[in-house]
Amino acid sequence: MAIDFILLRTDSDSHARLGRITTPHGEITTPAFAPVGTQATVKALDPRDLHELGAELILGNTYHLYLRPGADLVAEMGGLHGFMGWDGPILTDSGGFQVFSLANTRRVTDEGVEFRSHIDGSRHLFTPEMVVHTQEQLGADIIMVLDECAEPNDRAYNEQALARTHAWAERCLHAQQRTDQALFGIVQGGVFPDLRRQSAEFLTGLDFPGYAIGGLSVGETKEQMYSMLDITAPVLPEDKPRYLMGVGAPEDLVEGVARGVDLFDCVLPTRLARNGALFTRAGRINIRNAQFARDAAPIEDGCQCYTCRSFSRAYLRHLFKAGELLASRLATIHNVHFLLELMRDIREAITAGSLQAFREEFLGKYPIIPHDVRAANREKRKSRSASHSTTN
Ligand SMILES: [Zn+2]
């Protein structure tokens, strides 16, 4: 087995689990959040920062790395670990999510998905066999099957996509050659309970070493996402890790853990940081706002990150206003610390048997951004990167 998963404790008031995944590159204590290193770098941070922040798993994007610099080159340079100088566990996605977000330039058949590169317009074909081979070249500890990401509310499309996703999952299993990487299956099915259940049952039958829940946090409401987790998690085997893909809003980490999720990843903390949006337990602040111009306090009182121990809000605001590189780095350190610290608190609460109290206290203070505001932000991002993927 490429990875080993031990369940250390299950919460008596919820479906939360405390566990440990052992990989060829070290251990991950779960539930865990993985910062995203889209192009073999977690933007604005280096591996030393990530270790200091306590990151135990990071993510790389196959779509981006396949196009640039190319998986052959990465393999030649010692795989992703050697290439980027990160010796801890790495997870790569299959590239499917990015390709399916290139709505205008892709074509799906049972064979695979054909698309045009967002860099130079060149044509490429991702098949299940090919994405497994590419991820074997990249050399992450945890790799993903190719799946079809359908629009979550379209019933007919989800039925069709699910059949393809399941056939592709089997082909990925057969294509796998390396024995030191754990290939995870991906549950799809949009916002439809019966499809989600059917998908989780089918994939469980294929006996993957871990299971991802895909196709969520893509425009559906939070209630829909939570109810899909309520339906899916209990169908998945207890003794395998469960990974909720692309989810990283603080409230979703708390709610996901309570529903039995072990792993999360998202570009949210790093992308927000570069825009000057910073997490606090009382909600997000935008450091560019004039109210912080003469504010000598740290981003958040009591935060133990390097940024908060060393710098004021006034200084950070100045760095953003002046367009200084340091702004991105200091803001990213704080936001990544915030989510990793939240996961540490969650794990402690599970250990102490007090997750329910922690959940109520955290959610009582943290204001959730309304669905229509999130939807508008999503549209803005889409139109800004019209030809390009959503993950960066
Ligand atoms: Zn901080």
Side-chain angles (χ1 to χ4, degrees), residues 303 305 308 334:
C303 177
C305 85
C308 289
H334 171 82

Side-chain angles (χ1 to χ4, degrees), residues 278 285 287 291-303 307-317:
L278 304 171
I285 60 168
I287 199 68
Q291 68 182 104
F292 302 121
R294 292 190 151 73
D295 193 335
I299 299 166
E300 179 156 46
D301 274 325
C303 177
T307 304
C308 289
R309 282 187 284 117
S310 318
F311 306 101
S312 64
R313 290 170 165 180
Y315 180 61
L316 275 165
R317 177 175 184 273

